[in-house]
Coordinates of all heavy atoms in Angstrom, one line a residue:
F1 N 106.2 138.8 67.2 CA 107.6 139.0 66.9 C 108.0 138.5 65.5 O 109.1 138.5 65.1 CB 108.6 138.4 67.9 CG 108.4 139.3 69.1 CD1 107.6 138.8 70.3 CD2 109.2 140.3 69.4 CE1 107.6 139.5 71.4 CE2 109.3 141.0 70.5 CZ 108.4 140.5 71.5
I2 N 107.0 138.1 64.7 CA 107.3 137.7 63.4 C 107.8 138.8 62.5 O 108.6 138.7 61.6 CB 106.0 137.1 62.7 CG1 106.4 136.3 61.4 CG2 104.9 138.0 62.5 CD1 105.3 135.4 61.0
Q3 N 107.4 140.1 62.8 CA 107.9 141.2 62.2 C 109.5 141.3 62.2 O 110.1 141.6 61.2 CB 107.2 142.5 62.7 CG 107.5 143.7 61.8 CD 108.8 144.4 62.2 OE1 109.4 144.4 63.2 NE2 109.3 145.2 61.3
L4 N 110.0 141.0 63.4 CA 111.4 141.0 63.6 C 112.1 140.0 62.7 O 113.2 140.2 62.2 CB 111.9 140.8 65.1 CG 111.5 141.9 66.0 CD1 111.8 141.7 67.5 CD2 112.3 143.2 65.6
G5 N 111.5 138.8 62.6 CA 112.0 137.7 61.9 C 112.0 137.8 60.4 O 112.6 137.2 59.6
T6 N 111.0 138.7 59.9 CA 110.9 138.9 58.5 C 111.5 140.1 58.0 O 112.0 140.2 56.8 CB 109.4 138.8 58.1 OG1 108.7 139.9 58.8 CG2 108.8 137.6 58.3
T7 N 111.7 141.2 58.9 CA 112.3 142.4 58.3 C 113.8 142.1 58.1 O 114.2 142.7 57.2 CB 112.1 143.5 59.5 OG1 110.7 143.6 59.7 CG2 112.7 144.8 59.0
T8 N 114.4 141.5 59.0 CA 115.9 141.3 58.9 C 116.3 140.6 57.6 O 117.2 141.1 56.9 CB 116.5 140.6 60.1 OG1 116.2 141.4 61.2 CG2 118.0 140.5 60.0
P9 N 115.7 139.5 57.2 CA 116.0 139.0 55.9 C 115.7 139.8 54.7 O 116.3 140.0 53.7 CB 115.2 137.7 55.8 CG 114.9 137.2 57.3 CD 114.9 138.7 58.0
A10 N 114.5 140.5 54.7 CA 114.2 141.4 53.7 C 115.2 142.6 53.6 O 115.6 143.0 52.5 CB 112.7 142.1 54.0
A11 N 115.5 143.2 54.7 CA 116.7 144.2 54.6 C 117.9 143.7 54.1 O 118.6 144.4 53.3 CB 116.8 144.8 56.0
A12 N 118.2 142.5 54.6 CA 119.5 141.8 54.0 C 119.5 141.6 52.5 O 120.4 141.9 51.9 CB 119.9 140.6 54.7
S13 N 118.4 141.2 51.9 CA 118.2 140.9 50.5 C 118.2 142.3 49.7 O 118.7 142.4 48.5 CB 116.9 140.2 50.2 OG 115.9 141.0 50.4
I14 N 117.8 143.3 50.3 CA 117.7 144.7 49.8 C 119.1 145.4 49.8 O 119.5 146.0 48.9 CB 116.5 145.5 50.3 CG1 115.2 144.9 50.1 CG2 116.5 147.0 49.8 CD1 114.1 145.5 50.8
A15 N 119.5 145.5 51.1 CA 120.7 146.5 51.3 C 122.0 145.7 51.7 O 123.0 146.3 51.9 CB 120.3 147.4 52.4
G16 N 121.9 144.4 51.8 CA 123.1 143.6 52.1 C 123.2 143.3 53.6 O 122.5 143.9 54.4
D17 N 124.2 142.4 53.9 CA 124.3 142.0 55.3 C 124.7 143.1 56.2 O 124.3 143.0 57.5 CB 125.3 140.9 55.4 CG 124.8 139.6 54.8 OD1 123.6 139.5 54.6 OD2 125.5 138.8 54.4
G18 N 125.4 144.1 55.8 CA 125.8 145.1 56.8 C 124.7 146.0 57.4 O 124.9 146.4 58.4
L19 N 123.6 146.1 56.7 CA 122.5 146.9 57.1 C 121.2 146.0 57.4 O 120.1 146.6 57.7 CB 122.1 148.0 56.1 CG 123.2 149.0 55.7 CD1 122.7 149.9 54.6 CD2 123.4 149.8 56.9
A20 N 121.5 144.9 57.5 CA 120.3 143.8 57.7 C 119.5 144.1 59.0 O 118.2 144.1 59.2 CB 120.8 142.4 57.7
T21 N 120.2 144.5 60.1 CA 119.5 144.7 61.4 C 119.1 146.0 61.7 O 118.5 146.2 62.8 CB 120.4 144.1 62.5 OG1 121.7 144.7 62.6 CG2 120.6 142.5 62.4
L22 N 119.5 147.0 60.9 CA 119.2 148.4 61.2 C 117.6 148.7 61.3 O 117.3 149.2 62.3 CB 119.7 149.3 60.1 CG 119.4 150.8 60.2 CD1 120.2 151.3 61.4 CD2 119.9 151.5 59.0
P23 N 116.7 148.2 60.4 CA 115.4 148.5 60.7 C 114.9 147.9 61.9 O 114.1 148.5 62.8 CB 114.7 147.8 59.4 CG 115.6 147.9 58.4 CD 117.0 147.5 59.1
A24 N 115.2 146.6 62.3 CA 114.7 146.1 63.5 C 115.3 146.6 64.7 O 114.6 146.8 65.6 CB 115.0 144.5 63.5
G25 N 116.6 147.0 64.7 CA 117.2 147.6 65.8 C 116.6 149.1 66.0 O 116.4 149.4 67.2
L26 N 116.3 149.8 65.0 CA 115.7 151.1 65.2 C 114.3 150.9 65.6 O 113.8 151.7 66.6 CB 115.6 151.8 63.9 CG 116.8 152.4 63.3 CD1 116.7 153.0 62.0 CD2 117.3 153.5 64.3
M27 N 113.5 149.9 65.3 CA 112.2 149.7 65.9 C 112.2 149.4 67.3 O 111.5 150.0 68.0 CB 111.5 148.4 65.1 CG 110.2 148.2 65.5 SD 109.4 146.7 65.0 CE 110.3 145.5 66.0
L28 N 113.1 148.6 67.8 CA 113.2 148.3 69.2 C 113.7 149.5 70.0 O 113.2 149.8 71.0 CB 114.2 147.1 69.4 CG 113.7 145.8 68.9 CD1 114.8 144.8 69.0 CD2 112.5 145.3 69.7
A29 N 114.6 150.3 69.4 CA 115.1 151.4 70.2 C 114.1 152.5 70.2 O 113.9 153.1 71.4 CB 116.4 152.0 69.5
V30 N 113.5 152.8 69.2 CA 112.4 153.8 69.2 C 111.3 153.4 70.0 O 110.7 154.2 70.9 CB 112.0 154.2 67.7 CG1 110.7 154.9 67.8 CG2 113.1 154.9 67.0
G31 N 110.9 152.2 70.1 CA 109.9 151.6 71.0 C 110.2 151.8 72.4 O 109.4 152.3 73.3
T32 N 111.5 151.6 72.8 CA 111.8 151.8 74.1 C 111.8 153.2 74.5 O 111.5 153.5 75.7 CB 113.3 151.2 74.3 OG1 113.3 149.8 73.9 CG2 113.8 151.3 75.7
L33 N 112.3 154.0 73.6 CA 112.4 155.4 73.9 C 111.0 156.1 74.0 O 110.8 157.1 74.7 CB 113.4 156.2 72.9 CG 114.7 155.8 73.0 CD1 115.5 156.5 71.9 CD2 115.4 156.2 74.3
S34 N 110.1 155.7 73.3 CA 108.7 156.2 73.2 C 107.7 155.6 74.3 O 106.7 156.2 74.4 CB 108.2 156.2 71.9 OG 108.0 154.8 71.5
A35 N 108.2 154.6 75.0 CA 107.3 154.0 75.9 C 106.8 154.9 77.0 O 105.6 154.9 77.4 CB 107.9 152.8 76.5
P36 N 107.8 155.7 77.6 CA 107.3 156.6 78.6 C 106.3 157.7 78.2 O 105.4 158.1 78.9 CB 108.4 157.4 79.2 CG 109.5 156.5 78.7 CD 109.1 155.8 77.5
F37 N 106.2 158.1 76.9 CA 105.3 159.0 76.4 C 103.9 158.4 76.3 O 102.9 159.1 76.4 CB 105.8 159.6 75.1 CG 107.1 160.3 75.2 CD1 108.2 159.8 74.7 CD2 107.1 161.6 75.8 CE1 109.4 160.5 74.8 CE2 108.2 162.3 75.9 CZ 109.5 161.8 75.4
G38 N 103.8 157.1 75.9 CA 102.6 156.4 75.9 C 102.0 156.3 77.3 O 100.7 156.4 77.4
A39 N 102.7 156.2 78.4 CA 102.2 156.2 79.7 C 101.5 157.6 80.1 O 100.5 157.6 80.7 CB 103.3 155.8 80.7
M40 N 102.2 158.7 79.6 CA 101.7 160.0 79.8 C 100.4 160.2 78.9 O 99.4 160.8 79.5 CB 102.6 161.0 79.4 CG 103.9 161.2 80.4 SD 105.0 162.5 80.0 CE 106.1 161.7 78.9
L41 N 100.3 159.6 77.9 CA 99.1 159.7 77.0 C 97.9 159.0 77.7 O 96.8 159.4 77.6 CB 99.3 159.2 75.6 CG 100.2 160.1 74.8 CD1 100.6 159.4 73.4 CD2 99.6 161.4 74.5
V42 N 98.2 157.8 78.3 CA 97.1 157.1 79.1 C 96.5 157.9 80.1 O 95.3 157.9 80.3 CB 97.7 155.8 79.6 CG1 96.7 155.1 80.5 CG2 98.0 154.9 78.5
K43 N 97.3 158.6 80.9 CA 96.8 159.5 81.9 C 96.0 160.6 81.3 O 95.1 161.0 82.0 CB 98.0 160.1 82.7 CG 98.7 159.2 83.6 CD 99.8 159.6 84.4 CE 100.7 158.6 85.2 NZ 101.7 159.3 85.8
R44 N 96.4 161.1 80.1 CA 95.6 162.3 79.7 C 94.4 161.9 78.9 O 93.3 162.5 79.0 CB 96.4 163.0 78.7 CG 96.0 164.3 78.2 CD 97.0 165.1 77.5 NE 96.3 166.4 77.1 CZ 96.8 167.5 76.8 NH1 98.2 167.5 76.9 NH2 96.2 168.5 76.4
Y45 N 94.5 160.8 78.0 CA 93.3 160.5 77.1 C 92.6 159.2 77.5 O 91.6 158.9 76.8 CB 93.9 160.4 75.6 CG 94.4 161.7 75.1 CD1 95.8 161.8 74.9 CD2 93.6 162.7 74.8 CE1 96.4 163.0 74.5 CE2 94.1 163.9 74.4 CZ 95.4 164.1 74.2 OH 95.9 165.2 73.7
G46 N 93.1 158.4 78.4 CA 92.5 157.2 78.7 C 93.1 156.0 78.0 O 93.7 156.1 76.9
R47 N 92.9 154.9 78.6 CA 93.5 153.6 78.0 C 92.9 153.2 76.6 O 93.8 152.7 75.8 CB 93.2 152.5 79.0 CG 94.0 151.2 78.6 CD 94.0 150.2 79.6 NE 94.7 150.6 80.8 CZ 94.8 149.9 81.9 NH1 94.2 148.8 82.0 NH2 95.5 150.3 82.8
R48 N 91.7 153.5 76.5 CA 91.0 153.0 75.2 C 91.5 153.5 74.1 O 92.1 152.9 73.0 CB 89.5 153.2 75.3 CG 88.8 152.9 74.0 CD 87.4 153.4 73.9 NE 86.8 152.1 74.0 CZ 85.3 152.1 74.1 NH1 84.7 153.2 74.4 NH2 84.7 150.9 74.1
W49 N 91.8 154.9 73.9 CA 92.2 155.5 72.8 C 93.8 155.3 72.6 O 94.1 155.2 71.4 CB 91.9 157.0 72.8 CG 90.4 157.3 72.7 CD1 89.6 157.7 73.7 CD2 89.5 156.8 71.6 NE1 88.3 157.6 73.4 CE2 88.2 157.2 72.1 CE3 89.8 156.4 70.4 CZ2 87.1 156.9 71.3 CZ3 88.7 156.3 69.5 CH2 87.4 156.6 70.0
V50 N 94.5 155.2 73.7 CA 95.8 155.1 73.6 C 96.2 153.6 73.2 O 97.3 153.4 72.5 CB 96.6 155.5 74.9 CG1 98.0 155.2 74.9 CG2 96.3 156.8 75.2
L51 N 95.3 152.7 73.3 CA 95.6 151.4 72.7 C 95.0 151.2 71.4 O 95.5 150.5 70.5 CB 95.0 150.3 73.7 CG 95.5 150.1 75.0 CD1 94.8 149.2 75.9 CD2 97.1 149.7 74.9
L52 N 93.9 151.9 71.0 CA 93.3 151.7 69.7 C 94.1 152.4 68.7 O 94.4 151.9 67.5 CB 91.9 152.3 69.8 CG 91.1 152.1 68.5 CD1 90.9 150.8 68.2 CD2 89.7 153.0 68.6
A53 N 94.5 153.6 68.8 CA 95.3 154.4 67.8 C 96.7 153.6 67.4 O 96.9 153.5 66.2 CB 95.6 155.8 68.4
P54 N 97.4 153.2 68.4 CA 98.6 152.5 68.0 C 98.3 151.2 67.2 O 99.0 150.6 66.4 CB 99.4 152.2 69.2 CG 98.9 153.2 70.1 CD 97.4 153.4 69.8
G55 N 97.2 150.6 67.6 CA 96.9 149.3 66.8 C 96.5 149.6 65.4 O 97.0 148.9 64.4
I56 N 95.9 150.6 65.1 CA 95.6 151.1 63.7 C 96.8 151.4 63.1 O 97.1 151.1 62.0 CB 94.5 152.1 63.7 CG1 93.2 151.7 64.2 CG2 94.4 152.9 62.4 CD1 92.2 152.7 64.6
A57 N 97.7 152.3 63.8 CA 99.0 152.6 63.2 C 99.9 151.4 62.9 O 100.7 151.3 62.0 CB 99.7 153.6 64.2
T58 N 99.9 150.4 63.7 CA 100.6 149.2 63.5 C 100.1 148.5 62.2 O 101.0 148.0 61.5 CB 100.5 148.3 64.7 OG1 101.0 148.8 65.9 CG2 101.2 146.9 64.4
I59 N 98.9 148.4 62.0 CA 98.4 147.7 60.7 C 99.0 148.7 59.5 O 99.3 148.0 58.5 CB 96.9 147.7 60.8 CG1 96.5 146.7 61.9 CG2 96.4 147.2 59.4 CD1 95.0 146.7 62.2
G60 N 98.8 149.9 59.7 CA 99.2 150.7 58.5 C 100.7 150.7 58.3 O 101.3 150.5 57.1
S61 N 101.4 150.6 59.3 CA 103.0 150.6 59.1 C 103.5 149.2 58.6 O 104.4 149.0 57.8 CB 103.7 151.0 60.4 OG 103.4 150.1 61.4
A62 N 102.6 148.2 59.0 CA 103.0 146.8 58.5 C 102.7 146.7 57.1 O 103.4 146.1 56.3 CB 102.1 145.9 59.4
A63 N 101.6 147.4 56.6 CA 101.3 147.4 55.1 C 102.4 148.1 54.4 O 102.7 147.7 53.3 CB 99.9 148.0 54.9
V64 N 102.9 149.3 55.0 CA 103.9 150.0 54.2 C 105.2 149.2 54.2 O 106.0 149.1 53.2 CB 104.3 151.3 54.9 CG1 105.4 152.1 54.4 CG2 103.0 152.3 54.8
M65 N 105.5 148.4 55.3 CA 106.6 147.5 55.3 C 106.5 146.5 54.3 O 107.4 146.1 53.6 CB 106.9 147.0 56.6 CG 107.3 148.0 57.7 SD 107.5 147.2 59.3 CE 109.1 146.4 59.2
C66 N 105.4 146.0 54.1 CA 105.1 144.9 53.0 C 105.4 145.5 51.7 O 106.1 144.9 50.8 CB 103.8 144.3 53.2 SG 103.5 143.3 54.5
A67 N 104.8 146.8 51.4 CA 105.1 147.4 50.0 C 106.6 147.7 49.9 O 107.0 147.5 48.8 CB 104.2 148.6 50.1
A68 N 107.3 148.1 51.0 CA 108.7 148.5 50.8 C 109.5 147.1 50.5 O 110.3 147.4 49.7 CB 109.1 149.0 52.2
A69 N 109.1 146.0 51.1 CA 109.8 144.8 50.8 C 109.6 144.5 49.3 O 110.5 144.0 48.6 CB 109.5 143.7 51.7
Q70 N 108.3 144.6 48.8 CA 108.0 144.3 47.5 C 108.7 145.2 46.5 O 109.2 144.7 45.5 CB 106.5 144.2 47.3 CG 105.8 143.2 47.9 CD 105.9 141.8 47.2 OE1 106.4 141.7 46.2 NE2 105.6 140.8 47.9
L71 N 108.8 146.4 46.9 CA 109.5 147.5 45.9 C 110.9 147.6 46.1 O 111.6 148.2 45.3 CB 108.7 148.8 46.1 CG 107.2 148.9 45.8 CD1 106.7 150.3 46.4 CD2 107.0 148.8 44.4
R72 N 111.4 146.8 47.1 CA 112.8 146.8 47.4 C 113.3 148.2 47.8 O 114.4 148.5 47.3 CB 113.6 146.1 46.4 CG 113.2 144.6 46.0 CD 114.0 144.0 45.0 NE 115.4 143.8 45.4 CZ 115.9 143.0 46.3 NH1 115.1 142.1 47.0 NH2 117.3 143.0 46.5
L73 N 112.6 148.9 48.6 CA 113.1 150.3 49.0 C 113.5 150.2 50.5 O 112.7 150.1 51.3 CB 111.9 151.2 48.9 CG 111.4 151.5 47.4 CD1 110.1 152.3 47.5 CD2 112.5 152.2 46.6
F74 N 114.8 150.2 50.6 CA 115.4 150.1 52.0 C 114.9 151.2 52.9 O 114.6 151.1 54.1 CB 116.8 149.9 52.0 CG 117.4 149.6 53.4 CD1 117.3 148.5 54.0 CD2 118.1 150.7 54.0 CE1 117.8 148.3 55.2 CE2 118.7 150.6 55.2 CZ 118.6 149.4 55.9
W75 N 115.0 152.4 52.3 CA 114.6 153.6 53.2 C 113.2 153.5 53.6 O 112.9 154.0 54.8 CB 114.9 154.9 52.4 CG 114.0 155.1 51.3 CD1 114.2 154.7 49.9 CD2 112.7 155.9 51.3 NE1 113.1 155.0 49.2 CE2 112.2 155.7 49.9 CE3 111.9 156.4 52.2 CZ2 110.9 156.3 49.6 CZ3 110.8 157.0 51.9 CH2 110.3 156.9 50.7
L76 N 112.3 153.1 53.0 CA 110.9 153.0 53.3 C 110.7 152.0 54.2 O 109.9 152.1 55.3 CB 110.0 152.7 52.0 CG 108.5 152.8 52.3 CD1 108.1 154.2 52.9 CD2 107.8 152.5 50.9
L77 N 111.4 150.9 54.2 CA 111.4 149.8 55.2 C 111.8 150.2 56.5 O 111.2 149.9 57.6 CB 112.3 148.6 54.7 CG 112.2 147.4 55.6 CD1 110.9 146.7 55.6 CD2 113.3 146.4 55.1
T78 N 113.0 151.2 56.5 CA 113.5 151.7 57.8 C 112.5 152.7 58.3 O 112.3 152.6 59.6 CB 114.8 152.4 57.4 OG1 115.8 151.4 56.9 CG2 115.4 152.9 58.7
V79 N 111.9 153.6 57.6 CA 110.9 154.5 58.1 C 109.7 153.8 58.6 O 109.2 154.2 59.8 CB 110.6 155.6 57.0 CG1 109.4 156.4 57.4 CG2 111.8 156.4 56.5
A80 N 109.3 152.9 58.0 CA 108.1 152.2 58.4 C 108.3 151.3 59.7 O 107.5 151.1 60.6 CB 107.6 151.1 57.3
S81 N 109.6 150.9 59.9 CA 110.1 150.2 61.1 C 110.1 151.2 62.2 O 109.8 150.7 63.5 CB 111.4 149.5 60.9 OG 111.4 148.5 60.1
I82 N 110.5 152.4 62.0 CA 110.5 153.4 63.1 C 109.1 153.7 63.5 O 108.7 153.7 64.7 CB 111.1 154.7 62.6 CG1 112.6 154.4 62.4 CG2 110.8 155.8 63.6 CD1 113.4 155.5 61.8
A83 N 108.1 153.7 62.6 CA 106.6 153.9 62.9 C 106.1 152.7 63.7 O 105.4 152.8 64.6 CB 105.8 154.1 61.7
Q84 N 106.6 151.5 63.2 CA 106.2 150.4 64.0 C 106.6 150.4 65.5 O 105.9 149.9 66.3 CB 106.7 149.2 63.2 CG 106.2 147.8 63.6 CD 105.0 147.4 62.9 OE1 104.4 148.1 62.2 NE2 104.5 146.2 63.2
G85 N 107.8 150.8 65.6 CA 108.4 150.9 67.0 C 107.6 151.8 67.8 O 107.3 151.5 69.0
I86 N 107.3 152.9 67.3 CA 106.5 153.9 68.2 C 105.2 153.4 68.4 O 104.6 153.5 69.6 CB 106.3 155.2 67.3 CG1 107.8 156.0 67.2 CG2 105.3 156.1 68.0 CD1 107.7 157.1 66.3
S87 N 104.5 152.8 67.5 CA 103.1 152.2 67.7 C 103.1 151.0 68.6 O 102.2 150.6 69.3 CB 102.3 152.0 66.4 OG 103.0 150.9 65.6
N88 N 104.3 150.3 68.6 CA 104.2 149.1 69.5 C 104.8 149.3 70.9 O 104.8 148.3 71.8 CB 105.2 148.0 68.9 CG 104.6 147.3 67.7 OD1 103.3 147.3 67.6 ND2 105.4 146.8 66.8
A89 N 105.1 150.6 71.1 CA 105.6 151.0 72.6 C 104.5 150.8 73.4 O 104.5 150.4 74.5 CB 106.2 152.3 72.6

């Protein structure tokens, strides 16, 4: 959950306090909504691939979030948070 603790301050410094919790909120909401689809994928492809692919996607989206924070691009931080939510479901 360190991602939640670091995304909010980064978003606040980039876009202001009004939008500070948007990336983290979207990550949690999208993760909640996509969880049932993950269960369906486990039935179809097996547990190994359904756990491995999101792990790789999590690493990639975390790298994009780091780049977004360094470049101060709020839209990229938000999009990467959505990808993070899907892969963490």
Side-chain angles (χ1 to χ4, degrees):
F1 289 96
I2 194 166
Q3 190 272 339
L4 289 174
T6 56
T7 302
T8 302
S13 71
I14 296 168
D17 291 337
L19 295 173
T21 58
L22 180 65
L26 283 174
M27 184 189 72
L28 293 173
V30 169
T32 301
L33 294 175
S34 64
F37 299 107
M40 287 188 273
L41 289 173
V42 167
K43 289 180 183 177
R44 184 169 183 163
Y45 297 107
R47 183 175 293 179
R48 171 185 255 172
W49 296 110
V50 174
L51 293 176
L52 183 63
I56 294 168
T58 299
I59 293 168
S61 61
V64 172
M65 290 178 77
C66 290
Q70 288 290 343
L71 298 172
R72 303 188 54 79
L73 296 172
F74 182 74
W75 68 270
L76 187 58
L77 184 67
T78 304
V79 170
S81 291
I82 292 170
Q84 189 90 353
I86 293 170
S87 61
N88 286 333

